Amino acid sequence: MKTSTAPRPTTSAFRVIRRRRNTRALVVTCSLTLAVGALFVLTMMVGSFQLTAGEVIASVLHLREDPSVDFVVQGLRLPTAASALAVGLALGAAGTIFQQLLRNPLASPDFVGINSGAGLAAITGIVLLQAGGLAVSGLALAGAVVAALLMYVLAWRDGVAGYRFILIGIGATLFFDGLIGYMLTRAQLSDARQAMHWLTGSVGQADAAELRLLLGAVVVLLPVALVLQRQLRALELGDDAARALGIRTELSRAGLLATAVVLTALAVAVAGPIVFVALIAGPIANRLLGPATGGIVPAALVGAALLLVADLVAVHLLPTPLPTGVVTGAVGAPYLLWLLATTNRQGAGG
C-alpha cells in the first residue's frame, strides 16, 4: 500500500495564510509609500506661492531650471518637507520597536524618558552654552543615550520587564521635566523663548547639518532595524521562547534599543520633542496590516504621513500658523485617553 506524500491540510493552510499575510503587508507598504510621496510633494506645492506637482518634482530632481521655482522649492520648502519626512520615519520606527520590545502599547519614547533625556541635554546646551546646530544634536543624542542606559540599569531584574521599564521611564520623565523647568527659570528671556519654541516641536527649525545627520541615520538605521526584526518578533514571545529559538536575548534587545534610541535622539535634535507620533504610528500600521502586524517599515511610513499631515494643518489650515507639536499633541492626547481606557477594560492595564 502506497503512503500518500500529499502535504497535510494544516501545512497547506499555513502556507496560504502566510502568503496572504505577505501579500497584504506588501500592498500596505506600497500604498503607504505612495501616500507619503504624495504628501511630501503636496507639502511643497501649497503656500502663498502655489506650485504644481510637476514644477515641484522637476525642481527637486533638477530636471529643469527655473530660478523662482527653485528658490521656493529648494530654498524654502524642501528643508521643511525633508525634515518632516525624516523625523516621521525615525519616530514611527522607534515607537514600534519600543512597543514590540516591551510588549506594551504605552511604550513610547514620549513616556519612557528618552525624549525628556534628550530634551534636558539640549536645553542645557541652549541655556548654559548658547549651543546651536550640530552641538544641540550631539547633546540630544548623549542625553537620550544616558537616559536609556539609566533606565535599562534600573529596570534590570534578571531581564527587562515591560511594565517595570515603563514605570521607571515615567518616573524618569517627570524628573527630567522638572530639571528642564529649572533650567528655564535660570535662562535669559531670549534663551528661554528659544528653548520653549524648541520644546514645543516644529519640523521647520533644523539647519542643514542637523537634517543631513538625521537623513543619514535613517538611511543606515532603518535597514539595521529590518535585519533585527526577526529577533524582535522572537523577543515578543518572551525571553524563554526567544532563547529556545536561538536568539541571544540581551544582545538583541540592546541592539534594538540602541537603534530606537539613536533614531529618537536625532529626531528630537532636529524637530524638538514632537509628542505622540511614536505612540500612535505603530498601532495605526498594525490596523492596516491586519494579521501581518509588527512591520517596522509600515510604522515608519505611517509616522512620516502623520507628521507631514500635521505640518500641513499647523501651517496652512489653522487661522494662525502653529508649531507642528501643537497639532500632534491635540490629536494624540484623545488617543492616549482612549488607549488607557480600552487597555484597562481588557484587563491589561496592570
Side-chain angles (χ1 to χ4, degrees):
M1 188 178 241
K2 287 187 178 180
T3 303
S4 174
T5 59
R8 294 180 180 179
T10 53
T11 303
S12 177
F14 175 76
R15 288 175 178 170
V16 170
I17 292 172
R18 185 172 61 180
R19 191 180 304 116
R20 288 176 179 172
R21 288 178 58 183
N22 292 339
T23 301
R24 180 162 179 169
L26 179 62
V27 170
V28 169
T29 302
C30 293
S31 300
L32 286 171
T33 302
L34 292 174
V36 169
L39 287 168
F40 182 70
V41 173
L42 180 62
T43 301
M44 292 180 281
M45 290 171 55
V46 298
S48 57
F49 188 73
Q50 300 284 338
L51 296 171
T52 66
E55 289 174 325
V56 169
I57 294 171
S59 179
V60 170
L61 299 180
H62 301 282
L63 298 179
R64 63 171 178 261
E65 292 186 9
D66 188 328
S68 60
V69 172
D70 291 344
F71 172 75
V72 172
V73 173
Q74 298 176 22
L76 301 179
R77 297 178 184 173
L78 181 58
T80 300
S83 177
L85 176 65
V87 171
L89 289 171
L91 291 180
T96 198
I97 289 173
F98 272 106
Q99 288 165 345
Q100 293 181 61
L101 196 59
L102 301 178
R103 301 191 295 279
N104 193 303
L106 292 173
S108 167
D110 305 337
F111 302 116
V112 297
I114 307 299
N115 278 10
S116 295
L120 174 61
I123 292 301
T124 301
I126 292 172
V127 171
L128 296 184
L129 307 175
Q130 284 73 49
L134 284 176
V136 173
S137 297
L139 287 168
L141 177 59
V145 170
V146 170
L149 288 174
L150 175 64
M151 286 177 293
Y152 193 87
V153 170
L154 292 175
W156 174 263
R157 295 290 186 280
D158 295 325
V160 177
Y163 275 111
R164 185 164 60 239
F165 193 98
I166 291 170
L167 290 174
I168 290 173
I170 291 172
T173 298
L174 295 173
F175 176 70
F176 293 147
D177 287 346
L179 292 178
I180 288 173
Y182 171 76
M183 293 301 303
L184 292 174
T185 64
R186 309 300 299 175
Q188 298 291 329
L189 184 59
S190 59
D191 291 337
R193 186 180 294 113
Q194 177 188 355
M196 285 302 300
H197 179 75
W198 187 87
L199 285 171
T200 305
S202 178
V203 296
Q205 61 186 3
D207 62 25
E210 292 173 299
L211 182 55
R212 282 196 297 269
L213 181 61
L214 176 59
L215 287 170
V218 168
V219 169
V220 172
L221 293 179
L222 274 184
V224 171
L226 284 177
V227 171
L228 294 174
Q229 185 158 327
R230 177 178 173 273
Q231 287 88 330
L232 180 59
R233 292 187 185 279
L235 289 170
E236 282 188 275
L237 303 174
D239 284 4
D240 292 338
R243 291 191 191 99
L245 294 171
I247 302 298
R248 301 174 65 180
T249 55
E250 292 311 317
L251 183 61
S252 298
R253 184 178 288 111
L256 286 161
L257 279 175
T259 301
V261 166
V262 172
L263 286 172
T264 301
L266 293 177
V268 170
V270 166
I274 293 179
V275 295
F276 292 119
V277 173
L279 177 69
I280 64 180
I284 292 174
N286 288 339
R287 287 295 184 94
L288 296 173
L289 290 167
T293 59
I296 292 176
V297 170
L301 291 169
V302 169
L306 287 172
L307 207 50
L308 286 165
V309 171
D311 185 57
L312 282 169
V313 172
V315 176
H316 300 291
L317 297 184
L318 296 178
T320 302
L322 293 174
T324 316
V326 174
V327 175
T328 61
V331 173
Y335 170 80
L336 177 60
L337 294 174
W338 173 83
L339 180 62
L340 289 170
T342 54
T343 301
N344 187 55
R345 251 197 321 268
Q346 294 165 359

